[in-house]
Amino acid sequence: MKLSVINTGFFKLDGGAMFGVVPKSLWNKLNPADDKNLCSWAMRCLLIEDGDRLILIDNGLGDKQSPEFYKHYYLHGNDSLLGSLKNAGYSPADVSDMFLTHLHFDHCGGGVKRTGESTSLVFPNATYWSNRGHWEWAVKPNAREKASFLRENIMPMQDSGQLKLIDADGESPIPQFGILHVNGHTEQMMLPIIKYKDQTICYMADLIPSAGHIPIPYVMGYDTRPLITLVEKEKLLNEAAKNNYVLFFEHDPSIECCTVKQTEKGVRLDRAFALSDL
Ligand SMILES: [Zn+2]
């Protein structure tokens, strides 16, 4: 099995929204805000090559939205989904599985492209994976998440016939990883837990989006059920510290991976490193 980071570029989000109840005097030291109070975040995806499967986990926010939409997100950096895939030696047609942790636009927008008036899937031969509970939640979004669930990202997957919905109680349909289902950020987000070179890599998605979010109360304002996130984070972080798991951050602007350790203050970052160092 081979793992590669697929960087799809950086965007900016309001620092206050990203750190919830944590005061700016604290979070600004972790990820300094610009003059609009925005911080820079990565959209870091993961490619797994194994046997006849080529599995991509999440795909960034894509390029089919209007300039008006992108104006709010200040995209920057030189990386792109297809550019990074090409650097890894692949074209979109090679991807066999497009695994989506959840359907917020910055995780799934890169899976659908616009050609003139119509949309089509970027990965013509891939199965697109979501799960039933999350899908039903995303297609009838609540007012709080409405701006994150965009129909043009979601419906084309179903219309194409390439969508498959995972059963939360069942086994992972992808043998290369197990799936941890969590419910604090949104309904049934899925975190891939990958065994790789005798290590366990946890793809953190939006449960712990960056290394700055490791302390338990550092929960995003976006989360629909923050008290559930607290419990889910604590459980995973204790397990990670005990078993030396590697956390892979989708949104940290610089840190790809880290291990964590128990301290007097609770679980904290131990060692930060690149995935390629494993
Ligand atoms: Zn999200």
Side-chain angles (χ1 to χ4, degrees), residues 104 134 136-149 185-187 222-225:
H104 287 164
H134 185 68
E136 283 164 10
W137 181 265
V139 296
K140 294 190 205 82
N142 59 71
R144 211 175 138 89
E145 289 180 273
K146 211 175 174 126
S148 297
F149 289 128
H185 177 61
T186 183
E187 178 74 15
Y222 299 110
D223 281 22
T224 56
R225 306 179 187 108

Side-chain angles (χ1 to χ4, degrees), residues 102 104 106-107 185 189 206 220:
H102 63 304
H104 287 164
D106 53 320
H107 297 256
H185 177 61
M189 181 166 69
D206 282 349
M220 290 194 282

Side-chain angles (χ1 to χ4, degrees), residues 10-264:
F10 296 89
F11 68 147
K12 289 190 175 188
L13 291 172
D14 184 273
M18 280 300 280
F19 285 101
V21 298
V22 178
K24 185 176 179 184
S25 55
L26 295 178
W27 64 250
N28 202 50
K29 294 177 195 157
L30 302 169
N31 191 337
D34 68 11
D35 57 357
K36 295 188 180 73
N37 218 40
L38 301 169
C39 308
S40 192
W41 305 97
M43 287 172 283
R44 185 179 293 113
C45 307
L46 186 61
L47 188 70
I48 305 175
E49 307 171 48
D50 188 37
D52 58 357
R53 306 285 277 263
L54 185 67
I55 306 156
L56 181 60
I57 301 172
D58 284 355
N59 56 37
L61 54 60
D63 59 8
K64 69 182 167 306
Q65 305 303 329
S66 65
E68 178 62 26
F69 175 90
Y70 289 119
K71 200 178 81 192
H72 299 291
Y73 297 104
Y74 300 86
L75 304 188
H76 56 289
N78 298 320
D79 295 315
S80 67
L81 171 63
L82 298 188
S84 296
L85 197 60
K86 194 173 174 208
N87 288 341
Y90 292 104
S91 76
D94 298 324
V95 175
S96 65
D97 299 89
M98 182 59 253
F99 184 87
L100 298 162
T101 60
H102 63 304
L103 300 173
H104 287 164
F105 70 81
D106 53 320
H107 297 256
C108 74
V112 176
K113 64 184 173 187
R114 197 184 298 281
T115 317
E117 292 289 285
S118 64
T119 52
S120 59
L121 299 197
V122 169
F123 305 104
N125 303 314
T127 299
Y128 280 56
W129 296 101
S130 181
N131 70 68
R132 194 165 304 282
H134 185 68
W135 181 268
E136 283 164 10
W137 181 265
V139 296
K140 294 190 205 82
N142 59 71
R144 211 175 138 89
E145 289 180 273
K146 211 175 174 126
S148 297
F149 289 128
L150 308 181
R151 287 190 80 74
E152 61 270 37
N153 286 340
I154 296 174
M155 300 322 291
M157 296 185 224
Q158 187 174 54
D159 298 343
S160 71
Q162 286 170 241
L163 175 72
K164 281 194 183 161
L165 297 176
I166 293 168
D167 181 358
D169 305 323
E171 280 197 2
S172 169
I174 299 177
Q176 282 73 12
F177 52 77
I179 300 170
L180 178 64
H181 292 257
V182 287
N183 289 289
H185 177 61
T186 183
E187 178 74 15
Q188 288 187 45
M189 181 166 69
M190 300 190 286
L191 308 183
I193 310 291
I194 307 154
K195 297 275 185 212
Y196 176 66
K197 292 186 180 173
D198 294 330
Q199 302 220 260
T200 300
I201 301 178
C202 308
Y203 187 90
M204 295 314 307
D206 282 349
L207 178 62
I208 303 179
S210 77
H213 290 85
I214 291 173
I216 301 292
Y218 285 57
V219 170
M220 290 194 282
Y222 299 110
D223 281 22
T224 56
R225 306 179 187 108
L227 298 182
I228 302 287
T229 300
L230 295 183
V231 175
E232 290 169 344
K233 274 178 75 173
E234 190 162 25
K235 184 164 183 281
L236 184 79
L237 284 169
N238 284 333
E239 226 175 282
K242 190 171 165 218
N243 301 302
N244 208 34
Y245 290 171
V246 173
L247 309 186
F248 181 96
F249 297 118
E250 187 161 8
H251 288 311
D252 194 289
S254 58
I255 299 175
E256 288 181 2
C257 299
C258 81
T259 51
V260 291
K261 61 181 177 190
Q262 290 287 353
T263 72
E264 282 172 9

